[in-house]
Amino acid sequence: MGSGLLTVIILVILSTCYTPNGLSLTDFYLYGTEHGDNMMTVDSLPAAPLLAPIDNLVILGPAGITATIYQARSNGYLQIQNNADSIFLFLLFASGNFGETKVFGRTTNDPALIKRAMGQINEAFPNTFCSTSPPTQLIIATWIDYLKYHSNPGSNFQTVIVTNGHLTFGIFLYVDVHITAADTGIASLINGNYVESDPSIFPFNTTVTNAPSMMLNSNIPGTYILSLTDPPPDPPNCLAMCKAKLPEKTCKAIRNMV
């Protein structure tokens, strides 16, 4: 097959897989009150307990703090905390008119969503989660019509925190961004000391209008997958655990799945 024809085929395939910005709202993990989300317009969601505590979370873990609570904030960030100690995951932390901003959030252990998240993490970080050490909960926070006001059509983005209590990763999804300035990255408040966020964890840095068209640890524009475990652990030896627990034929089948 000629290289020119191959290039055309690849471009056609890509054009059918991605919108111009990479993602659409249908690519988000299921959100909405019909899926169990809490929802607020204008205001932040109330703080809520995690399904189970999270150890080794970035910044909190090295300080000996176990995360127990989360809160999706109307101004574009997810707060994960234990009492007064918190980390702040800034997706698009900005000020403005939040009159039409809708914030959704929930924790879930839905098997289908767990399987989807596990697959995305393993594509970015091979053999991180396997059938013997899967994620056990997701935190899903979604912002719809963020800062929509007058001529601004609003921005739409989502984060999915994927964890088994010891290994934690974040999936950050941006459909569209219609603001030009916002803080991004991870900030923290530990023992009364506030540390500002570092935007360099995202390749778009502070140029937030590029968020829907760039990517990190993914081949889908608008998708960013980050480890939120500190210190980063060695990935589990899924094959060794499989051999220890299952007969050879079953082990082979599972190895092909992970």
Side-chain angles (χ1 to χ4, degrees):
M1 181 182 295
S3 60
L5 179 58
L6 180 60
T7 300
V8 170
I9 292 173
I10 291 173
L11 290 175
V12 169
I13 292 172
L14 289 176
S15 69
T16 61
C17 292
Y18 306 130
T19 64
N21 284 337
L23 298 175
S24 68
L25 290 178
T26 58
D27 295 308
F28 278 168
Y29 284 65
L30 295 175
Y31 69 93
T33 54
E34 68 272 28
H35 299 295
D37 276 338
N38 293 314
M39 191 275 278
M40 294 289 288
T41 301
V42 182
D43 295 323
S44 300
L45 293 178
L50 298 173
L51 296 181
I54 302 175
D55 296 325
N56 305 329
L57 195 61
V58 62
I59 302 175
L60 294 179
I65 299 167
T66 298
T68 57
I69 298 169
Y70 78 99
Q71 185 173 18
R73 298 282 191 168
S74 60
N75 47 343
Y77 70 92
L78 179 67
Q79 182 175 355
I80 304 177
Q81 65 191 96
N82 184 321
N83 294 322
D85 299 309
S86 300
I87 60 170
F88 311 94
L89 304 178
F90 290 165
L91 283 85
L92 292 175
F93 178 40
S95 58
N97 188 311
F98 295 95
E100 296 191 54
T101 298
K102 293 175 279 293
V103 187
F104 301 85
R106 74 183 186 279
T107 54
T108 181
N109 56 7
D110 178 86
L113 296 180
I114 291 280
K115 182 178 180 180
R116 175 183 172 183
M118 180 173 162
Q120 279 194 275
I121 301 302
N122 283 341
E123 284 184 8
F125 299 88
N127 299 321
T128 294
F129 292 114
C130 58
S131 56
T132 54
S133 62
T136 53
Q137 70 173 313
L138 307 180
I139 308 169
I140 303 176
T142 309
W143 290 260
I144 300 296
D145 295 334
Y146 179 71
L147 290 177
K148 180 179 181 180
Y149 185 67
H150 285 180
S151 61
N152 187 329
S155 303
N156 300 288
F157 50 95
Q158 182 182 71
T159 185
V160 181
I161 307 304
V162 186
T163 184
N164 63 9
H166 305 290
L167 293 172
T168 303
F169 289 80
I171 301 171
F172 301 87
L173 306 172
Y174 295 83
V175 168
D176 43 28
V177 174
H178 295 287
I179 57 175
T180 58
D183 290 334
T184 60
I186 304 175
S188 63
L189 178 65
I190 306 295
N191 296 324
N193 298 314
Y194 181 77
V195 177
E196 294 189 358
S197 63
D198 178 6
S200 67
I201 67 169
F202 294 116
F204 55 82
N205 208 291
T206 56
T207 310
V208 294
T209 52
N210 287 341
S213 59
M214 300 179 74
M215 65 200 83
L216 180 67
N217 298 319
S218 173
N219 60 359
I220 304 175
T223 304
Y224 305 85
I225 303 175
L226 301 172
S227 172
L228 298 178
T229 304
D230 193 351
D234 293 328
N237 188 335
C238 297
L239 180 58
M241 289 187 287
C242 176
K243 284 184 175 179
K245 294 185 177 182
L246 299 169
E248 183 176 352
K249 289 184 179 180
T250 306
C251 183
K252 182 178 179 180
I254 290 181
R255 183 170 66 248
N256 292 334
M257 293 169 55
V258 298

